[in-house]
Amino acid sequence: MELLDQISFNLQNGFDKIVASLTKDAVEKQIPPKEILSNGLIAGMNIVGEKFKNHDIFLPDVLLAARAMNGAMEVLKPLLIKEGIPIRGKVVIGSVKDDLHDIGKNLVAILLKGAGFEVIDLGNDVPAEKFISVAREENAHVIGMSALLTTTMPVMKKVVDLAKDEGLFGKIRIVIGGAPVSKEYALEIGADAYSYDGANAVETVESFFPANSQ
Amino acid sequence: MIVDFAPEDVDLDRAAILRSQGIPEEAEFTENFELIYEGAIELFQKLAEPAGIIVGITISEFKEVFRGEGLNEPENPVEDIYRKSSYLALFAVTLGPVLSSKVTGLFDNGDYASGYMLDSVSSYAADKLTDLAAQHLQSELAVKEPAASSWRVLSYSPGYCGWNISGQKKLFEVLHPEEIGITLNESCLMIPVKSLSGVLIAGAGEIHEFVNSYPFCDTCRTKSCIERMRDLK
Ligand code: B12
């Protein structure tokens, strides 16, 4: 099997250590990093995504593949940066203030990373101002917010309002999610989008970048 | 009364846990998946510290607790049900803080699949703990009151069925779940996260029946009332 196919195969099976070591081999064999990324890693992740959609595999399998992807990206990222290959987009994500629950947000962060986005995870209990200040400092393209209960949702509106006040609205896209959140709520507060699960979150964020989607 | 449960008391129904992850009954699994599932069950048995607090309350006292911050839906099923009850008790249950820190730890270490599975098993178990609290109350009641063995004890929680989540404040004031290590933050979120609270309503099975066509039923994410009412039969 060709090296990039091996990377894809092992990634699909969640063998993270093998994927990292094969990625290093590929770099040593002078395969261009962009090619390793597209024809090895992303090719593998695409198959994982398809199998997941068809119920051939389930979320834990996808998460194992995502871990393998992240490990390989540690190897590739410095090289991609050095070659000036643009990242797919930068997302600042967190669970809003007073929300100490973060599993949904974690899943979205992992799946976005797996899809090749750079993700800055602010954790949970994140004040509205912090979403804005970090997004500004990091020149992020997207802010993602998560909430578990209706009582923590108002922070989402605060972030949208702050983004408007600071002239970031339209420049930074805002996507929200979490069990009590809805499309209607996103519309009501003026967020750009709502996603009901991790796979949908990736599709939504991808839709913000039509030009460079893979 | 404080009740210490053991992790083994919780019936971890595999099919139900997988269903809660959206996995169909007839699914086939990879070897990795099986390992992760087994690992999560093992961790749960090792780390869960299930506990509950159950405190009896009169209908008139509960009226105040239920009113909470005055934000409940004007029409809701709980209001009708508790008035017809034979016995009421406030309750809170938790799986303790260690499980939640383990989930976070697994995610931080990049072990996302195990973290997700442990979280999912724990969420399911927290729900089951409420059933255990209800069973516990029922057997306590049956000792004093023979009729109680035919009663049905069901839980109702703030954040469900028109009982506004801000109702947690009054409930905590009266119940004191701090005694089993649960605290409430400004946003009415309980810490540890794998905790549940509410009222256990005991009475004849019929009192729990209602038509789920309230305006808020449309946006309810769980629709667990359907299954609960079916089980009454
Ligand atoms: C499992 C569950 C629990 C578990 C644990 C919760 C947890 N997550 O750890 C237990 C049983 C302990 C529990 C307890 C309670 N719960 Co509960 N719970 C649920 C349930 C059934 C699923 C939530 C869940 O964990 N899903 C799995 C995770 C992985 O999904 P997720 O967090 O939603 O994230 C996904 C998406 O939302 C999305 N997403 C999430 N964040 C983001 C961010 C971005 C940027 C994007 C794009 C997408 C995105 O992608 C994620 C991955 O797929 C929901 C109903 C539902 N079906 O959603 C109710 C629900 C959240 N609970 C509810 C309530 C009321 C409670 C309690 C207050 C009840 C009580 N009084 O005891 C307590 C509160 C607990 C606390 N600590 O304060 C209500 C909240 C309603 C409200 N008014 O706020 C809900 C909505 C049920 C309902 N009534 O319809 N709960």
Side-chain angles (χ1 to χ4, degrees):
Chain A
M1 205 190 288
E2 204 211 318
L3 188 52
L4 295 186
D5 293 337
Q6 281 181 41
I7 291 179
S8 162
F9 174 83
N10 284 286
L11 180 130
Q12 290 167 47
N13 289 293
F15 300 140
D16 56 332
K17 294 199 179 71
I18 303 180
V19 173
S21 123
L22 290 172
T23 304
K24 280 184 199 138
D25 289 354
V27 171
E28 273 164 27
K29 293 209 167 101
Q30 313 283 326
I31 301 179
K34 172 87 181 147
E35 208 179 309
I36 305 175
L37 179 65
S38 302
N39 301 340
L41 300 167
I42 290 181
M45 274 317 266
N46 286 343
I47 297 174
V48 168
E50 272 309 302
K51 285 186 177 167
F52 179 60
K53 268 194 199 141
N54 295 335
H55 289 307
D56 292 332
I57 57 169
F58 300 101
L59 195 53
D61 301 293
V62 178
L63 294 174
L64 286 177
R67 173 164 75 170
M69 172 87 184
N70 289 351
M73 280 308 283
E74 297 286 309
V75 180
L76 284 190
K77 208 172 136 193
L79 304 172
L80 291 168
I81 292 173
K82 212 161 97 193
E83 294 194 2
I85 294 166
I87 47 151
R88 242 183 144 181
K90 217 186 239 189
V91 185
V92 170
I93 196 167
S95 293
V96 296
K97 174 126 185 51
D98 274 344
D99 204 317
L100 302 175
H101 141 279
D102 54 11
I103 184 85
K105 177 270 298 169
N106 284 348
L107 292 179
V108 172
I110 291 154
L111 296 175
L112 283 173
K113 272 193 212 162
F117 291 96
E118 181 168 349
V119 178
I120 300 164
D121 188 344
L122 302 178
N124 57 26
D125 197 13
V126 182
E129 297 75 13
K130 184 145 184 211
F131 279 104
I132 299 292
S133 63
V134 175
R136 192 187 271 288
E137 279 159 28
E138 296 281 346
N139 286 318
H141 306 93
V142 181
I143 291 177
M145 291 180 277
S146 179
L148 173 70
L149 299 177
T150 38
T151 41
T152 57
M153 282 159 53
V155 180
M156 295 177 161
K157 175 161 172 15
K158 202 171 161 195
V159 171
V160 175
D161 291 346
L162 273 176
K164 279 186 191 148
D165 291 349
E166 301 210 6
L168 294 173
F169 203 70
K171 291 185 193 137
I172 295 184
R173 313 296 291 268
I174 298 180
V175 54
I176 61 175
V181 181
S182 62
K183 199 171 165 185
E184 290 71 31
Y185 185 69
L187 269 175
E188 186 188 314
I189 64 168
D192 292 284
Y194 155 77
S195 290
Y196 51 85
D197 69 10
N200 181 245
V202 173
E203 279 170 17
T204 305
V205 172
E206 278 175 343
S207 75
F208 297 155
F209 300 91
N212 71 350
S213 44
Q214 314 265 339
Chain B
M1 115 188 84
I2 291 180
V3 196
D4 281 316
F5 299 106
E8 312 80 79
D9 295 340
V10 188
D11 175 21
L12 297 173
D13 177 346
R14 177 177 155 122
I17 293 172
L18 298 183
R19 238 189 342 266
S20 78
Q21 295 178 19
I23 297 178
E25 206 85 41
E26 67 287 353
E28 283 175 30
F29 299 100
T30 59
E31 203 177 310
N32 280 338
F33 186 100
E34 294 295 350
L35 286 174
I36 285 161
Y37 181 80
E38 289 309 321
I41 300 292
E42 226 169 85
L43 277 175
F44 176 84
Q45 302 291 7
K46 206 161 83 189
L47 303 177
E49 300 164 321
I53 180 166
I54 305 172
V55 174
I57 185 168
T58 64
I59 291 185
S60 60
E61 285 166 342
F62 182 67
K63 198 174 162 197
E64 269 307 294
V65 174
F66 186 66
R67 187 160 60 204
E69 311 295 299
L71 296 172
N72 294 343
E73 296 295 331
E75 307 250 312
N76 66 75
V78 189
E79 187 96 45
D80 301 331
I81 297 168
Y82 84 75
R83 288 171 199 277
K84 292 186 228 148
S85 65
S86 306
Y87 188 86
L88 288 175
L90 300 180
F91 82 96
V93 290
T94 184
L95 289 169
V98 185
L99 264 184
S100 298
S101 337
K102 184 68 190 176
V103 170
T104 310
L106 287 167
F107 270 98
D108 289 348
N109 281 334
D111 203 348
Y112 317 131
S114 303
Y116 168 72
M117 191 60 89
L118 184 59
D119 185 83
S120 162
V121 169
S122 308
S123 284
Y124 176 81
D127 243 346
K128 287 291 127 191
L129 213 49
T130 306
D131 298 347
L132 284 180
Q135 282 162 23
H136 188 89
L137 179 66
Q138 178 144 30
S139 32
E140 293 274 314
L141 292 176
V143 176
K144 294 181 228 143
E145 159 76 64
S149 48
S150 67
W151 291 346
R152 301 306 296 263
V153 184
L154 289 188
S155 67
Y156 296 83
S157 295
Y160 280 86
C161 301
W163 186 359
N164 191 274
I165 183 117
S166 59
Q168 294 276 51
K169 288 188 185 150
K170 264 278 157 56
L171 193 143
F172 265 64
E173 263 170 47
V174 179
L175 179 65
H176 296 294
E178 308 84 74
E179 290 179 29
I180 55 164
I182 309 176
T183 55
L184 195 67
N185 77 5
E186 278 292 301
S187 299
C188 292
L189 191 90
M190 289 181 282
I191 299 140
V193 176
K194 302 300 178 200
S195 304
L196 280 150
S197 65
V199 64
L200 296 171
I201 303 187
E206 308 87 77
I207 69 161
H208 297 288
E209 284 174 29
F210 64 92
V211 182
N212 59 352
S213 57
Y214 293 91
F216 50 82
C217 297
D218 289 345
T219 49
C220 174
R221 292 279 162 115
T222 53
K223 310 248 188 289
S224 49
C225 61
I226 299 171
E227 208 174 307
R228 281 159 50 117
M229 284 194 271
R230 198 177 49 219
D231 290 348
L232 286 173
K233 301 271 173 342

